[in-house]
Amino acid sequence: MLAKFNDGVKDLPLEQINKENYIHEDKSGRYVHAVIEVKAYSPVDGRKISSPQLQFFDLAMVKRGLLENLKKQGYTVNVVFDPREKAVSRETETNNETKKRKNN
């Protein structure tokens, strides 16, 4: 999966994707993007046999507690994009700009 890297973009395995390096498409911006996995290991040699998946969840379902329910079912959930966090950061930036204009 393509991810942000020091000097541009690099192809990384899904296990190494996190909030800082995840690149999301604008058309899927209304969904919560998460890497989920039920970790499973081979009983013979102990190597990992499960693989993570990138899932898109509707915001309404997330508000109702979907991610918490997935964790209860044994999934590891790593949210890599949440549109609510982006909206909060926009609001704080707007508030900071407004304060600067009032002070000037």
Side-chain angles (χ1 to χ4, degrees):
M1 167 168 242
L2 293 177
K4 296 176 191 172
F5 202 67
N6 295 339
D7 54 351
V9 178
K10 185 176 182 179
D11 192 18
L12 295 175
L14 201 51
E15 291 92 7
Q16 296 179 4
I17 301 297
N18 55 30
K19 281 186 179 186
E20 288 77 32
N21 64 7
Y22 180 69
I23 301 172
H24 78 281
E25 298 177 12
D26 289 333
K27 61 184 174 186
S28 62
R30 65 185 188 124
Y31 297 105
V32 174
H33 304 191
V35 177
I36 64 170
E37 178 181 14
V38 175
K39 293 194 178 187
Y41 296 92
S42 172
V44 178
D45 56 2
R47 66 182 170 85
K48 184 177 168 187
I49 57 175
S50 61
S51 60
Q53 302 172 3
L54 181 65
Q55 285 289 129
F56 303 120
F57 298 109
D58 188 44
L59 197 54
M61 294 300 293
V62 172
K63 288 179 182 177
R64 291 185 192 134
L66 176 73
L67 299 179
E68 291 79 17
N69 288 337
L70 285 173
K71 290 177 184 177
K72 289 178 185 176
Q73 294 174 14
Y75 284 89
T76 56
V77 179
N78 180 17
V79 177
V80 292
F81 174 73
D82 191 346
R84 297 174 293 179
E85 292 177 3
K86 195 172 186 178
V88 169
S89 66
R90 282 186 198 154
E91 288 177 12
T92 55
E93 288 176 6
T94 306
N95 290 340
N96 290 341
E97 289 175 10
T98 307
K99 288 178 183 177
K100 286 180 184 177
R101 289 181 188 157
K102 287 182 180 178
N103 291 337
N104 290 334

